[in-house]
Amino acid sequence: MKNIRNFCIIAHIDHGKSTLADRLLEFTKTITITENQILDNMDLERERGITIKSHAIQMEYQYQGEKYILNLIDTPGHVDFSYEVSRSIASCEGALLVVDATQGVQAQTISNLYMAIEHDLTIVPVINKCDMDSAMPEEVEDEIVELLGCDASEIIRASGRTGLGVEEILNAVVERIPHPEGDEQAPLQALIFDSVFNPFRGIIAYFKILNGQIHSGEHVKFVNTGEEYDADEIGVLKMTMQPQKMLSCGNVGYIVSGIKTATEVKVGDTITSAVRPCSEAIAGFEEVKPMVFAGIYPIEAEDFENLRSSLEKLQLNDASLSFMPESSVALGFGFRCGFLGLLHMEIIQERLDREFNMDVITTVPNVSYLIYTKKGRTLEVHNPSDMPEVTEIDHVEEPYIRASIITSSNYIGPIMTLCLGKRGELVKQDYVAGNRVELLFDIPLGEIVIDFYDKLKSVSKGYASFDYHIAGFRRSNLVKLDILLNGQPVDALSTLTHADNAVTFGRRMCEKLKDLLPRQQFDIAIQAAIGAKIIARETVKQVRKDVTAKCYGGDISRKRKLLEKQKKGKKRMKQIGNVQVPQKAFLAVLKLD
């Protein structure tokens, strides 16, 4: 066990950790180089240049004549995937903190670093991209020393592109990061930190052994679910899965036991021996809290069950996704899903389409609110259509976040304007190093859900980094805004918004829908309403068919007779006419600006 090292790589998005991981794998001869970004194997990850899933891989390294086993877990850097990072951190003893030499310390770097320190991980600081012309390693070194309180000599300068400093990093992993602690003779105790679905072999769970040993063919038990299985195959994760007869304490591996139902494997669960079970489950990482809720509905009603099984398989691979069935008048049966953020929601939609061929409609995202009624009850509402009547509500509380924004001082003005426009309050402002500033704001979560991140990047020309955590609920003056089409409310377009913004938001929504709804044979009235009060209206004009075209010459009464007949038909059509709302309309509400 003293020759095993488990470590992860943490960094802000786009600081080059996946490329650096490739160099480590090459140097230890785990792979022969064929193409870049070996660990980012999803098409989506390669297209967008971001890591979405954390990936585990084992390397072997010779150091001073001894063979060491290094288990590397590569992690995502975007704020929306911080749950993936927390799972990786829970199964490691050390972390490489990678900072871009051209950009310096950014918000997500700090957030992930604090998470690692809370778990008592040993931190090895690395400055990446030192080969670039715009690199400022000295200044970045000062920032890291200030952040970590370490010695400047401990910081390794590296480059993922040229392979500079890779050997130094591997030596530091062996020297500085402690080996896993545990008792090989104790009953088996292993933590599940990830799982994937394989259509031929069922569910494959990835685990780290804290105590004891696991043998191939052994009868094991999953503590939280209470289910028992045979370990048909166990092994280690290299570029492919490599079966082993036995894995001992401190190692990271996988188990195949022919599990077919997604709900039987929970990330954070403990695997133990069915014959000699451990006395208690491992205290895993915290339960994930979804931040953003949206409805996902199949376009064809008969695809409902397929959508359920697709979401279950996705949930195995991404434990931060949560969902429950719901129904809507406009869209039929579907699911109310909880996401960690807007990018997470977009990625799930993309993956449903690519991996499961599911065409879905997604409703306007919103957050959860606490409703206090006059009878003293408290309700948690994720969907505006679940709101009680206005007359029953005493007051509403909405979730606030503490946002940390790191930027250069040139952009303080526009960023302040943006945050204050989103009902934010400035908490404090600190200079990190040189002309870089950290701004702390308290902002309602509902205000940043839709387009805040995009706007922040625009006003700061891409130089601001953003991270947040929930800071509790506060009382707020919120109203429910309904959109009516021909007098019928469309529940999928309802939103909760602040009373001050409601009128302008309603007006802009009506104007946008007017452009998007296809014209019918009758007028369509689009109205925005708060309770019974209509605050905005637009009309989609009817398409007129020329019924008098066949009537040439003759008496005027012949033409009038045809027009009267058309008028009656339109009146009847309006009573029974249905307005189909296209998917574009739901998405356009997100991009009102």
Side-chain angles (χ1 to χ4, degrees):
M1 197 161 65
K2 70 179 196 336
N3 285 14
I4 295 177
R5 300 286 183 274
N6 299 321
F7 69 101
C8 59
I9 304 183
I10 53 177
H12 188 81
I13 188 169
D14 210 18
H15 279 203
K17 61 195 161 311
S18 298
T19 311
L20 193 63
D22 284 353
R23 296 296 86 78
L24 296 175
L25 295 175
E26 251 176 79
F27 192 86
T28 56
K29 307 215 170 28
T30 309
I31 56 168
T32 50
I33 190 60
T34 46
E35 56 182 314
N36 256 351
Q37 311 285 319
I38 292 291
L39 294 179
D40 289 356
N41 53 12
M42 235 187 272
D43 291 345
L44 263 178
E45 293 182 314
R46 294 201 174 149
E47 278 169 30
R48 292 176 176 236
I50 57 176
T51 307
I52 294 168
K53 281 289 301 158
S54 57
H55 297 269
I57 192 162
Q58 189 176 89
M59 305 178 272
E60 289 175 2
Y61 182 54
Q62 291 284 344
Y63 178 69
Q64 294 180 352
E66 277 192 69
K67 191 173 99 172
Y68 286 86
I69 289 176
L70 312 180
N71 289 312
L72 157 68
I73 301 178
D74 178 30
T75 63
H78 195 281
V79 57
D80 276 11
F81 302 110
S82 53
Y83 182 65
E84 289 280 334
V85 183
S86 77
R87 290 165 25 184
S88 306
I89 285 175
S91 44
C92 293
E93 282 79 38
L96 295 182
L97 178 75
V98 176
V99 181
D100 188 330
T102 61
Q103 297 183 32
V105 171
Q106 293 192 288
Q108 196 59 30
T109 317
I110 297 178
S111 152
N112 288 345
L113 173 70
Y114 286 156
M115 210 189 294
I117 290 173
E118 273 171 35
H119 282 79
D120 292 334
L121 264 60
T122 305
I123 309 290
V124 178
V126 177
I127 299 179
N128 194 18
K129 304 193 187 180
C130 286
D131 61 317
M132 293 184 71
D133 300 336
S134 55
M136 334 167 273
E138 284 77 21
E139 284 133 52
V140 176
E141 212 164 75
D142 294 344
E143 287 181 25
I144 294 176
V145 167
E146 199 172 312
L147 185 66
L148 276 176
C150 64
D151 204 67
S153 60
E154 291 175 29
I155 301 171
I156 302 168
R157 294 190 183 187
S159 160
R161 193 166 54 177
T162 62
L164 163 81
V166 167
E167 188 173 0
E168 221 181 312
I169 291 173
L170 288 164
N171 293 345
V173 166
V174 173
E175 289 163 13
R176 299 189 210 169
I177 293 177
H179 61 77
E181 302 287 336
D183 181 2
E184 285 202 11
Q185 305 309 318
L188 172 66
Q189 208 180 21
L191 173 75
I192 299 179
F193 66 84
D194 204 354
S195 57
V196 291
F197 180 78
N198 181 312
F200 306 107
R201 314 186 67 185
I203 290 152
I204 301 169
Y206 299 163
F207 59 82
K208 179 200 174 184
I209 304 175
L210 299 193
N211 289 306
Q213 300 174 337
I214 184 167
H215 297 267
S216 180
E218 189 176 346
H219 197 53
V220 294
K221 178 182 176 184
F222 287 35
V223 179
N224 283 353
T225 55
E227 301 285 345
E228 296 188 6
Y229 309 98
D230 289 323
D232 299 335
E233 180 181 311
I234 57 165
V236 293
L237 299 151
K238 293 208 171 172
M239 273 321 289
T240 53
M241 294 181 181
Q242 298 197 343
Q244 305 280 336
K245 288 271 180 283
M246 187 267 293
L247 287 177
S248 64
C249 181
N251 228 319
V252 172
Y254 70 90
I255 177 170
V256 179
S257 47
I259 306 170
K260 292 287 186 284
T261 23
T263 48
E264 289 178 25
V265 177
K266 286 196 166 55
V267 170
D269 199 352
T270 306
I271 302 175
T272 188
S273 164
V275 184
R276 193 169 71 126
C278 56
S279 52
E280 57 180 1
I282 303 161
F285 25 85
E286 69 278 7
E287 271 290 296
V288 58
K289 292 188 192 72
M291 303 287 184
V292 177
F293 295 89
I296 288 188
Y297 294 86
I299 287 180
E300 300 296 333
E302 57 265 25
D303 284 344
F304 177 72
E305 282 306 322
N306 294 350
L307 179 60
R308 184 198 294 273
S309 70
S310 305
L311 283 169
E312 279 176 0
K313 285 170 191 167
L314 256 186
Q315 195 177 31
L316 273 180
N317 198 255
D318 180 354
S320 48
L321 169 70
S322 59
F323 62 91
M324 55 196 253
E326 72 160 7
S327 64
S328 141
V329 180
L331 300 169
F333 290 103
F335 295 93
R336 166 108 333 217
C337 302
F339 308 96
L340 295 184
L342 227 67
L343 177 72
H344 186 211
M345 174 173 134
E346 207 177 307
I347 295 291
I348 293 289
Q349 244 179 300
E350 261 316 273
R351 288 182 69 185
L352 278 172
D353 181 28
R354 291 184 185 205
E355 295 171 29
F356 303 101
N357 291 326
M358 291 299 310
D359 278 342
V360 294
I361 290 179
T362 313
T363 63
V364 184
N366 47 37
V367 298
S368 55
Y369 297 92
L370 292 179
I371 312 279
Y372 292 86
T373 64
K374 289 180 177 168
K375 292 179 181 171
R377 287 172 61 222
T378 308
L379 310 169
E380 188 176 326
V381 170
H382 304 310
N383 191 346
S385 57
D386 298 341
M387 288 260 298
E389 288 299 316
V390 186
T391 48
E392 295 173 26
I393 298 173
D394 181 49
H395 67 275
V396 181
E397 287 188 358
E398 64 177 335
Y400 266 70
I401 56 159
R402 172 66 53 92
S404 151
I405 297 169
I406 296 182
T407 180
S408 76
S409 50
N410 315 346
Y411 304 111
I412 292 182
I415 289 175
M416 289 254 197
T417 312
L418 171 67
C419 293
L420 296 173
K422 297 278 185 189
R423 297 191 285 132
E425 297 164 15
L426 181 65
V427 179
K428 70 170 183 177
Q429 169 178 342
D430 280 336
Y431 279 83
V432 182
N435 71 336
R436 295 172 52 127
V437 187
E438 180 179 21
L439 302 169
L440 288 181
F441 281 93
D442 280 348
I443 308 179
L445 179 60
E447 292 282 341
I448 70 150
V449 157
I450 292 180
D451 56 1
F452 178 79
Y453 194 63
D454 297 347
K455 283 187 177 172
L456 179 69
K457 285 290 180 202
S458 305
V459 299
S460 66
K461 299 190 171 63
Y463 280 109
S465 61
F466 168 68
D467 185 48
Y468 63 85
H469 57 265
I470 286 289
F473 284 77
R474 295 194 196 172
R475 189 166 175 163
S476 194
N477 181 15
L478 296 170
V479 291
K480 179 185 170 192
L481 182 73
D482 284 317
I483 298 292
L484 312 175
L485 295 181
N486 276 350
Q488 295 299 315
V490 181
D491 51 359
L493 287 172
S494 301
T495 47
L496 278 175
T497 180
H498 196 266
D500 299 349
N501 309 339
V503 176
T504 48
F505 186 65
R507 196 168 293 148
R508 278 168 34 217
M509 228 154 143
C510 290
E511 284 164 9
K512 193 80 180 181
L513 284 169
K514 182 185 176 184
D515 299 339
L516 290 165
L517 288 181
R519 288 169 72 185
Q520 306 285 349
Q521 298 270 329
F522 52 90
D523 283 356
I524 305 171
I526 305 168
Q527 296 166 308
I530 297 173
K533 183 182 172 194
I534 304 291
I535 54 168
R537 173 186 168 127
E538 293 286 337
T539 309
V540 178
K541 282 293 180 196
Q542 61 186 345
V543 182
R544 270 202 69 198
K545 182 180 172 190
D546 189 1
V547 287
T548 58
K550 61 184 182 200
C551 195
Y552 46 90
D555 197 329
I556 185 72
S557 59
R558 289 177 63 196
K559 285 189 178 181
R560 188 151 299 140
K561 185 177 155 194
L562 288 170
L563 288 169
E564 285 298 324
K565 191 176 167 189
Q566 182 188 35
K567 198 171 169 184
K568 277 184 194 157
K570 289 212 181 233
K571 192 175 177 185
R572 195 174 73 248
M573 200 188 299
K574 188 170 183 176
Q575 286 166 354
I576 59 169
N578 260 341
V579 183
Q580 292 291 326
V581 184
Q583 164 71 4
K584 280 191 306 201
F586 294 109
L587 296 177
V589 178
L590 311 187
K591 301 186 174 67
L592 271 179
D593 295 330

